[in-house]
Amino acid sequence: MTYSNQTTQAIQKLHNLIEVVDQIVIGKKDITRFTLIAMLSSGHVLFEDIPGVGKTLLIKTISKCLEADFSRIQFTPDLIPSDIIGFSVPNLHDEQFEFREGPIFNQIILADEINRTSPRTQAAMLEAMSEKQVTLDGKTHQLPDPFFVLATQNPIDYEGTYPLPEAQLDRFLFQLSLGYPSLEQEVRMLESPEQLSAIEKLKPILSLSDFKALKERVKTIHVHKQLLEYIVSLADATRHHPAIRLGISPRGVQSCLAAARTQALLNEREYVIPQDILSIIKPLFRHRLLFENKLDKEDIDLFIDQLINQTPIPTKIRSEK
């Protein structure tokens, strides 16, 4: 099994997309790559950061490069579910109710400051993120294909924030953080002040049809049974650890497999290796682990490193033909 020329060209366009985004969102190539991995894995991304580091800029730029329908929803304390999913209005001609679509009916949703709204409104996002549909007045409405939620949230200790429920956190494939730029990166930003106008000038790099084709190609990436067992072993270790109240769910295991396959695809391999798994494990595990005692990001990463060190990595994987 080898890649077709069309697949190879599409992968190269993805790498070009990462370079283009780096010209606008400077110094965040790894974050752009992780975001694309999540999207190709049919997953959503949660960005947790302080305000002003470029989360919204990153999401807008990726949307423009993919020529995808884009909608921004600003989450506020007074937001209600109908503001997101839509509402029914009476049709005066036939005395029937007519559904008016809300902003969630787009391919890429920027859910800005998602943790500033109430739990009731958060619940309206669960069905959309999991089933890619919404239900109103007993009727189900399918969302566009593809459909991605790229959400931002402020640190939970900020004023006016609500903690996201565990069920919703589990529906985000990755939790990412841009962080402050380095001194060199920030100087580059000052040398390129026209970032917003640069987005308007962007032309699509990868068509949605090519993007969908790559999503289907991800599913064909070969994964040896020993690596499947390795993924499950890593997750299982979190379920029985005394320091953890809530470990990795089966949904998290499935997300890990999909992300590892996508990582292999971007590396132009037709099979997964252990490094593909290890490279995505931290942003995939961090937000899903609920500890008995509160830990900061650095401590969580150290904990995940310990789990990795204690779980044997398959070293002799025979090719299955």
Side-chain angles (χ1 to χ4, degrees):
M1 182 174 64
T2 57
Y3 289 142
S4 65
N5 288 337
Q6 183 178 6
T7 299
T8 302
Q9 291 172 5
I11 293 172
Q12 185 56 53
K13 288 179 181 178
L14 274 179
H15 290 301
N16 292 343
L17 189 156
I18 293 172
E19 294 296 329
V20 168
V21 173
D22 184 58
Q23 299 303 311
I24 296 175
V25 188
I26 295 169
K28 304 300 177 183
K29 288 184 181 180
D30 56 337
I31 300 297
T32 303
R33 183 184 177 100
F34 275 128
T35 304
L36 292 172
I37 287 173
M39 295 170 71
L40 285 168
S41 305
S42 299
H44 311 289
V45 181
L46 177 64
F47 297 89
E48 180 175 281
D49 258 309
I50 60 171
V53 294
K55 302 181 295 292
T56 301
L57 187 66
L58 174 73
I59 296 168
K60 282 184 174 180
T61 307
I62 291 175
S63 301
K64 191 71 181 289
C65 289
L66 291 176
E67 199 179 17
D69 294 332
F70 171 81
S71 177
R72 174 178 177 173
I73 305 174
Q74 181 65 52
F75 283 71
T76 57
D78 59 349
L79 197 73
I80 60 176
S82 60
D83 293 331
I84 298 173
I85 64 176
F87 50 89
S88 296
V89 296
N91 188 321
L92 300 179
H93 296 290
D94 55 15
E95 298 183 353
Q96 299 291 323
F97 279 89
E98 183 179 288
F99 178 62
R100 298 285 177 86
E101 295 180 350
I104 203 167
F105 283 84
N106 282 281
Q107 291 161 329
I108 296 182
I109 305 299
L110 166 55
D112 212 1
E113 297 184 305
I114 192 171
N115 62 335
R116 289 192 63 226
T117 197
S118 68
R120 176 171 173 258
T121 305
Q122 297 290 357
M125 296 291 294
L126 284 178
E127 182 184 16
M129 294 175 64
S130 182
E131 307 296 333
K132 300 188 178 179
Q133 65 182 33
V134 296
T135 303
L136 184 68
D137 298 332
K139 293 184 178 180
T140 298
H141 306 272
Q142 297 297 322
L143 293 170
D145 179 30
F147 172 77
F148 308 108
V149 174
L150 305 180
T152 72
Q153 75 168 1
N154 294 328
I156 196 60
D157 53 351
Y158 271 45
E159 185 177 352
T161 60
Y162 297 84
L164 297 182
E166 288 80 7
Q168 188 171 2
L169 284 172
D170 197 35
R171 283 166 170 80
F172 287 104
L173 194 146
F174 287 146
Q175 179 176 322
L176 303 175
S177 175
L178 277 71
Y180 285 116
S182 68
L183 293 178
E184 179 184 352
Q185 291 164 357
E186 202 155 11
V187 169
R188 282 181 60 194
M189 290 169 56
L190 295 178
E191 291 175 337
S192 307
E194 304 299 326
Q195 292 170 304
L196 291 178
S197 61
I199 294 179
E200 300 304 319
K201 299 175 184 178
L202 282 178
K203 295 183 179 179
I205 295 174
L206 187 69
S207 68
L208 277 179
S209 60
D210 283 343
F211 192 83
K212 288 182 179 181
L214 284 178
K215 283 182 63 181
E216 291 302 312
R217 191 68 176 83
V218 164
K219 300 174 184 177
T220 70
I221 300 296
H222 176 72
V223 187
H224 194 282
K225 185 177 180 180
Q226 289 185 25
L227 289 179
L228 296 178
E229 294 171 347
Y230 179 58
I231 291 172
V232 172
S233 295
L234 286 169
D236 191 60
T238 69
R239 299 167 184 168
H240 305 289
H241 199 285
I244 297 178
R245 193 189 321 165
L246 183 65
I248 301 301
S249 69
R251 182 189 290 116
V253 171
Q254 294 168 345
S255 296
C256 185
L257 173 61
R261 279 180 159 147
T262 305
Q263 184 74 284
L265 178 79
L266 289 182
N267 289 326
E268 300 187 44
R269 265 188 282 99
E270 299 167 351
Y271 54 90
V272 171
I273 62 174
Q275 186 55 37
D276 294 324
I277 301 168
L278 295 173
S279 65
I280 53 90
I281 209 73
K282 287 182 180 178
L284 195 142
F285 271 26
R286 282 188 201 118
H287 61 295
R288 290 182 163 91
L289 296 176
L290 184 62
F291 290 86
E292 293 290 348
N293 299 311
K294 185 177 180 181
L295 301 180
D296 59 25
K297 176 178 175 291
E298 289 74 18
D299 288 336
I300 293 174
D301 284 353
L302 287 173
F303 185 90
I304 295 172
D305 284 333
Q306 290 176 2
L307 286 180
I308 291 171
N309 292 334
Q310 294 167 5
T311 307
I313 299 176
T315 55
K316 296 181 179 180
I317 301 177
R318 296 185 302 274
S319 174
E320 290 181 353
K321 299 295 184 181

